[in-house]
Amino acid sequence: MWSFLIVSTLSWGIAEIFYKKGNLQNEKYSHLKTTFFVGLFMGIYAFIILFTQGVDLQSFPINFLYYLPVSACYILSMVLSYFGVRFIEESIADPIENSSIAIVPILCAIFLKQTFSLPAIIGIVIVTLGVILLGVFDKKGKTERRYKYGKKLAIIAMAMPFCYMLLDSVGTFLDIFYVEDINKTILVGVNEYNLVNTANCCYELTFFLVAIGIFIFLKIKKVKLFDIEGSEVSIKRKWYEKAFDQKWKLLAALFETIGQATYLYALSSGQGIAAVILGAGTVIISLLLSRILLKEKLSIIQYIFIFIIVGGIITLCVCGV
């Protein structure tokens, strides 16, 4: 279990840094290129799952359609995240995005009439307040972003991690109806051994189809995947030289897929501690690497609120939410 946990947590934490480095402010379709590369890597892994992990091929097409609402929430949230991180600090975006763990129990309470323990309620309140106060005390960042990008774009960019948080929460909530209970799942032709892999394969193949759609869109727009928009190169370059220009996007896609490939095994091996490490560990690693590698520096009070959010995430994970 521990090896999978370490690999998954490190992979997603590192991927967040590569997302920031790869999604360039002045590259108009940078976020779509990132989405394409992630979808491509996900698609390769999905085909491996499809033919090696006991997924029922006969019922897979209908399950693919059934799972589309969940896949759509997850994928759209990631595309919006890639766009937002072009303009805002990773140190701010990632804690907000991972606060989705506080929204899921609220949705369960509203729609499923579930009740939660006092520690879980405290965790929800802590995360919510932390996110709100983190935004309130981002005055300097707001001023700088409005000066650099204009008021409209600055507001849109700051809204992206919140959109991610909400969409990811809805996707996770919907997942309850698909993978939480083998006896109640909406998916057909599945058993307790291939249920999670079937759902995961549906998600990743949807991502792959989105990648194909983006590829067609960029072709129509005459945007080359492996060229940096706005740059003028007078000499003809080899394919690996072009790939090197997009190295951060490719590395982000690789580490995202590695994290996706290992977290299922981590969760199935030990849900309690796995949830804690995956829930808060990714944020902490991303935060540390943002400070070390990206040289992002926030105010002391912003760091306080970020660690309050992390504390709330740990509380919710421990409570099994």
Side-chain angles (χ1 to χ4, degrees):
M1 179 189 77
W2 287 105
S3 59
F4 290 125
L5 277 174
I6 293 170
V7 171
S8 188
T9 306
L10 285 174
S11 295
W12 276 337
I14 294 171
E16 295 296 337
I17 304 304
F18 290 144
Y19 284 137
K20 177 62 179 177
K21 291 179 73 68
N23 287 283
L24 308 177
Q25 297 173 9
N26 299 321
E27 192 178 13
K28 183 177 180 180
Y29 297 109
S30 186
H31 56 292
L32 294 183
K33 290 182 180 181
T34 299
T35 306
F36 169 80
F37 291 127
V38 174
L40 180 63
F41 278 75
M42 289 280 193
I44 294 171
Y45 179 59
F47 283 111
I48 294 174
I49 294 176
L50 191 62
F51 296 109
T52 65
Q53 298 300 315
V55 176
D56 183 51
L57 297 178
Q58 186 174 357
S59 59
F60 182 77
I62 189 65
N63 285 332
F64 178 86
L65 294 176
Y66 284 158
Y67 202 74
L68 271 180
V70 184
S71 299
C73 287
Y74 287 147
I75 295 170
L76 180 57
S77 69
M78 293 177 73
V79 176
L80 295 179
S81 175
Y82 303 154
F83 176 82
V85 82
R86 288 170 56 190
F87 308 102
I88 61 177
E89 298 87 342
E90 177 62 31
S91 304
I92 291 178
D94 203 42
I96 295 174
E97 291 174 354
N98 282 276
S99 297
S100 59
I101 193 173
I103 306 298
V104 176
I106 295 175
L107 293 175
C108 290
I110 294 173
F111 295 103
L112 302 181
K113 308 302 181 182
Q114 291 186 7
T115 57
F116 299 96
S117 64
L118 181 59
I121 295 173
I122 293 174
I124 294 170
V125 173
I126 289 174
V127 172
T128 304
L129 286 177
V131 170
I132 293 172
L133 293 173
L134 180 62
V136 169
F137 285 91
D138 184 39
K139 294 180 181 179
K140 182 181 178 181
K142 289 176 182 176
T143 302
E144 291 179 349
R145 285 189 288 272
R146 289 184 181 185
Y147 177 77
K148 288 176 65 177
Y149 313 121
K151 182 178 179 181
K152 182 179 179 180
L153 182 55
I155 293 173
I156 292 173
M158 191 60 196
M160 292 300 98
F162 289 95
C163 291
Y164 175 99
M165 177 179 66
L166 293 173
L167 284 167
D168 186 70
S169 301
V170 173
T172 304
F173 172 73
L174 292 175
D175 240 346
I176 294 173
F177 301 98
Y178 292 87
V179 300
E180 188 176 74
D181 189 341
I182 185 64
N183 297 314
K184 297 180 180 179
T185 182
I186 299 173
L187 301 179
V188 299
V190 294
N191 54 53
E192 60 181 323
Y193 302 106
N194 67 11
L195 173 59
V196 174
N197 279 320
T198 298
N200 191 39
C201 193
C202 290
Y203 159 65
E204 292 179 335
L205 278 181
T206 304
F207 219 137
F208 181 66
L209 292 179
V210 169
I212 294 174
I214 288 174
F215 179 79
I216 295 171
F217 172 80
L218 293 178
K219 278 290 186 182
I220 294 172
K221 291 290 184 177
K222 297 182 179 179
V223 176
K224 296 181 179 180
L225 270 171
F226 290 95
D227 286 345
I228 297 177
E229 298 164 46
S231 65
E232 295 184 4
V233 182
S234 57
I235 60 174
K236 188 174 182 180
R237 296 174 302 156
K238 298 184 183 296
W239 68 267
Y240 54 83
E241 293 175 317
K242 294 181 179 181
F244 187 77
D245 286 342
Q246 303 294 342
K247 58 183 177 297
W248 303 124
K249 296 182 180 69
L250 289 166
L251 286 170
L254 175 62
F255 278 93
E256 179 71 37
T257 306
I258 291 172
Q260 184 73 17
T262 54
Y263 100 101
L264 290 175
Y265 297 99
L267 289 178
S268 63
S269 300
Q271 292 185 357
I273 188 64
V276 174
I277 295 176
L278 290 171
T282 302
V283 181
I284 295 173
I285 290 170
S286 174
L287 185 64
L288 291 174
L289 293 179
S290 295
R291 182 68 185 93
I292 297 170
L293 300 179
L294 302 179
K295 308 301 181 183
E296 292 184 355
K297 189 175 181 180
L298 305 180
S299 66
I300 296 297
I301 195 165
Q302 284 178 309
Y303 281 119
I304 290 173
F305 289 131
I306 286 173
F307 282 106
I308 286 174
I309 293 171
V310 173
I313 291 172
I314 292 175
T315 301
L316 287 169
C317 290
V318 170
C319 293
V321 174

PDB file of all heavy atoms in Angstrom, residues 42-54 201:
ATOM      1  N   MET A  42      -3.770   9.252 -20.909  1.00  0.00           N
ATOM      2  CA  MET A  42      -4.869   8.539 -20.260  1.00  0.00           C
ATOM      3  C   MET A  42      -5.430   7.460 -21.174  1.00  0.00           C
ATOM      4  O   MET A  42      -5.776   6.356 -20.737  1.00  0.00           O
ATOM      5  CB  MET A  42      -5.981   9.523 -19.877  1.00  0.00           C
ATOM      6  CG  MET A  42      -5.638  10.457 -18.740  1.00  0.00           C
ATOM      7  SD  MET A  42      -5.819   9.664 -17.151  1.00  0.00           S
ATOM      8  CE  MET A  42      -5.740  11.104 -16.077  1.00  0.00           C
ATOM      9  N   GLY A  43      -5.532   7.788 -22.470  1.00  0.00           N
ATOM     10  CA  GLY A  43      -6.067   6.828 -23.427  1.00  0.00           C
ATOM     11  C   GLY A  43      -5.204   5.595 -23.540  1.00  0.00           C
ATOM     12  O   GLY A  43      -5.706   4.459 -23.593  1.00  0.00           O
ATOM     13  N   ILE A  44      -3.888   5.790 -23.565  1.00  0.00           N
ATOM     14  CA  ILE A  44      -2.971   4.652 -23.625  1.00  0.00           C
ATOM     15  C   ILE A  44      -3.154   3.757 -22.412  1.00  0.00           C
ATOM     16  O   ILE A  44      -3.257   2.520 -22.536  1.00  0.00           O
ATOM     17  CB  ILE A  44      -1.513   5.153 -23.704  1.00  0.00           C
ATOM     18  CG1 ILE A  44      -1.280   5.884 -25.033  1.00  0.00           C
ATOM     19  CG2 ILE A  44      -0.536   3.989 -23.553  1.00  0.00           C
ATOM     20  CD1 ILE A  44       0.046   6.602 -25.114  1.00  0.00           C
ATOM     21  N   TYR A  45      -3.245   4.368 -21.236  1.00  0.00           N
ATOM     22  CA  TYR A  45      -3.429   3.580 -20.016  1.00  0.00           C
ATOM     23  C   TYR A  45      -4.808   2.907 -19.993  1.00  0.00           C
ATOM     24  O   TYR A  45      -4.944   1.773 -19.514  1.00  0.00           O
ATOM     25  CB  TYR A  45      -3.256   4.468 -18.788  1.00  0.00           C
ATOM     26  CG  TYR A  45      -3.444   3.737 -17.479  1.00  0.00           C
ATOM     27  CD1 TYR A  45      -2.646   2.641 -17.151  1.00  0.00           C
ATOM     28  CD2 TYR A  45      -4.429   4.135 -16.580  1.00  0.00           C
ATOM     29  CE1 TYR A  45      -2.821   1.961 -15.958  1.00  0.00           C
ATOM     30  CE2 TYR A  45      -4.606   3.461 -15.383  1.00  0.00           C
ATOM     31  CZ  TYR A  45      -3.807   2.372 -15.080  1.00  0.00           C
ATOM     32  OH  TYR A  45      -3.987   1.697 -13.900  1.00  0.00           O
ATOM     33  N   ALA A  46      -5.821   3.601 -20.529  1.00  0.00           N
ATOM     34  CA  ALA A  46      -7.175   3.042 -20.548  1.00  0.00           C
ATOM     35  C   ALA A  46      -7.233   1.753 -21.353  1.00  0.00           C
ATOM     36  O   ALA A  46      -7.887   0.776 -20.944  1.00  0.00           O
ATOM     37  CB  ALA A  46      -8.158   4.062 -21.121  1.00  0.00           C
ATOM     38  N   PHE A  47      -6.558   1.723 -22.489  1.00  0.00           N
ATOM     39  CA  PHE A  47      -6.561   0.513 -23.316  1.00  0.00           C
ATOM     40  C   PHE A  47      -5.833  -0.630 -22.600  1.00  0.00           C
ATOM     41  O   PHE A  47      -6.207  -1.800 -22.751  1.00  0.00           O
ATOM     42  CB  PHE A  47      -5.928   0.795 -24.673  1.00  0.00           C
ATOM     43  CG  PHE A  47      -6.834   1.536 -25.614  1.00  0.00           C
ATOM     44  CD1 PHE A  47      -6.556   2.847 -25.961  1.00  0.00           C
ATOM     45  CD2 PHE A  47      -7.969   0.927 -26.125  1.00  0.00           C
ATOM     46  CE1 PHE A  47      -7.398   3.540 -26.825  1.00  0.00           C
ATOM     47  CE2 PHE A  47      -8.814   1.613 -26.985  1.00  0.00           C
ATOM     48  CZ  PHE A  47      -8.529   2.927 -27.335  1.00  0.00           C
ATOM     49  N   ILE A  48      -4.823  -0.297 -21.817  1.00  0.00           N
ATOM     50  CA  ILE A  48      -4.135  -1.325 -21.023  1.00  0.00           C
ATOM     51  C   ILE A  48      -5.094  -1.927 -20.003  1.00  0.00           C
ATOM     52  O   ILE A  48      -5.180  -3.152 -19.850  1.00  0.00           O
ATOM     53  CB  ILE A  48      -2.898  -0.731 -20.323  1.00  0.00           C
ATOM     54  CG1 ILE A  48      -1.849  -0.302 -21.355  1.00  0.00           C
ATOM     55  CG2 ILE A  48      -2.301  -1.742 -19.344  1.00  0.00           C
ATOM     56  CD1 ILE A  48      -0.659   0.433 -20.765  1.00  0.00           C
ATOM     57  N   ILE A  49      -5.851  -1.060 -19.314  1.00  0.00           N
ATOM     58  CA  ILE A  49      -6.841  -1.533 -18.335  1.00  0.00           C
ATOM     59  C   ILE A  49      -7.907  -2.378 -19.019  1.00  0.00           C
ATOM     60  O   ILE A  49      -8.299  -3.436 -18.530  1.00  0.00           O
ATOM     61  CB  ILE A  49      -7.522  -0.337 -17.627  1.00  0.00           C
ATOM     62  CG1 ILE A  49      -6.517   0.426 -16.771  1.00  0.00           C
ATOM     63  CG2 ILE A  49      -8.665  -0.833 -16.736  1.00  0.00           C
ATOM     64  CD1 ILE A  49      -7.109   1.663 -16.124  1.00  0.00           C
ATOM     65  N   LEU A  50      -8.385  -1.875 -20.149  1.00  0.00           N
ATOM     66  CA  LEU A  50      -9.509  -2.505 -20.842  1.00  0.00           C
ATOM     67  C   LEU A  50      -9.235  -3.966 -21.181  1.00  0.00           C
ATOM     68  O   LEU A  50     -10.130  -4.814 -21.099  1.00  0.00           O
ATOM     69  CB  LEU A  50      -9.825  -1.711 -22.115  1.00  0.00           C
ATOM     70  CG  LEU A  50     -11.121  -2.043 -22.848  1.00  0.00           C
ATOM     71  CD1 LEU A  50     -12.324  -1.755 -21.964  1.00  0.00           C
ATOM     72  CD2 LEU A  50     -11.215  -1.231 -24.141  1.00  0.00           C
ATOM     73  N   PHE A  51      -7.994  -4.264 -21.522  1.00  0.00           N
ATOM     74  CA  PHE A  51      -7.686  -5.613 -21.994  1.00  0.00           C
ATOM     75  C   PHE A  51      -6.885  -6.455 -20.998  1.00  0.00           C
ATOM     76  O   PHE A  51      -6.556  -7.608 -21.292  1.00  0.00           O
ATOM     77  CB  PHE A  51      -6.913  -5.530 -23.319  1.00  0.00           C
ATOM     78  CG  PHE A  51      -7.714  -4.921 -24.438  1.00  0.00           C
ATOM     79  CD1 PHE A  51      -7.413  -3.654 -24.914  1.00  0.00           C
ATOM     80  CD2 PHE A  51      -8.786  -5.603 -24.999  1.00  0.00           C
ATOM     81  CE1 PHE A  51      -8.147  -3.082 -25.946  1.00  0.00           C
ATOM     82  CE2 PHE A  51      -9.529  -5.046 -26.023  1.00  0.00           C
ATOM     83  CZ  PHE A  51      -9.215  -3.778 -26.501  1.00  0.00           C
ATOM     84  N   THR A  52      -6.600  -5.901 -19.818  1.00  0.00           N
ATOM     85  CA  THR A  52      -5.798  -6.671 -18.847  1.00  0.00           C
ATOM     86  C   THR A  52      -6.428  -6.794 -17.473  1.00  0.00           C
ATOM     87  O   THR A  52      -5.970  -7.597 -16.663  1.00  0.00           O
ATOM     88  CB  THR A  52      -4.390  -6.062 -18.689  1.00  0.00           C
ATOM     89  OG1 THR A  52      -4.500  -4.741 -18.116  1.00  0.00           O
ATOM     90  CG2 THR A  52      -3.663  -5.995 -20.024  1.00  0.00           C
ATOM     91  N   GLN A  53      -7.471  -5.994 -17.181  1.00  0.00           N
ATOM     92  CA  GLN A  53      -8.001  -5.955 -15.820  1.00  0.00           C
ATOM     93  C   GLN A  53      -9.407  -6.538 -15.691  1.00  0.00           C
ATOM     94  O   GLN A  53     -10.142  -6.205 -14.769  1.00  0.00           O
ATOM     95  CB  GLN A  53      -7.989  -4.511 -15.300  1.00  0.00           C
ATOM     96  CG  GLN A  53      -6.601  -3.896 -15.217  1.00  0.00           C
ATOM     97  CD  GLN A  53      -5.681  -4.664 -14.293  1.00  0.00           C
ATOM     98  OE1 GLN A  53      -6.054  -5.043 -13.182  1.00  0.00           O
ATOM     99  NE2 GLN A  53      -4.453  -4.917 -14.755  1.00  0.00           N
ATOM    100  N   GLY A  54      -9.786  -7.394 -16.605  1.00  0.00           N
ATOM    101  CA  GLY A  54     -11.059  -8.102 -16.477  1.00  0.00           C
ATOM    102  C   GLY A  54     -12.290  -7.265 -16.726  1.00  0.00           C
ATOM    103  O   GLY A  54     -13.396  -7.634 -16.287  1.00  0.00           O
ATOM    104  N   CYS A 201     -11.736   3.190 -16.490  1.00  0.00           N
ATOM    105  CA  CYS A 201     -11.517   3.051 -17.931  1.00  0.00           C
ATOM    106  C   CYS A 201     -12.488   3.934 -18.719  1.00  0.00           C
ATOM    107  O   CYS A 201     -12.112   4.540 -19.728  1.00  0.00           O
ATOM    108  CB  CYS A 201     -11.677   1.591 -18.329  1.00  0.00           C
ATOM    109  SG  CYS A 201     -11.081   1.216 -19.988  1.00  0.00           S
TER     110      CYS A 201
END
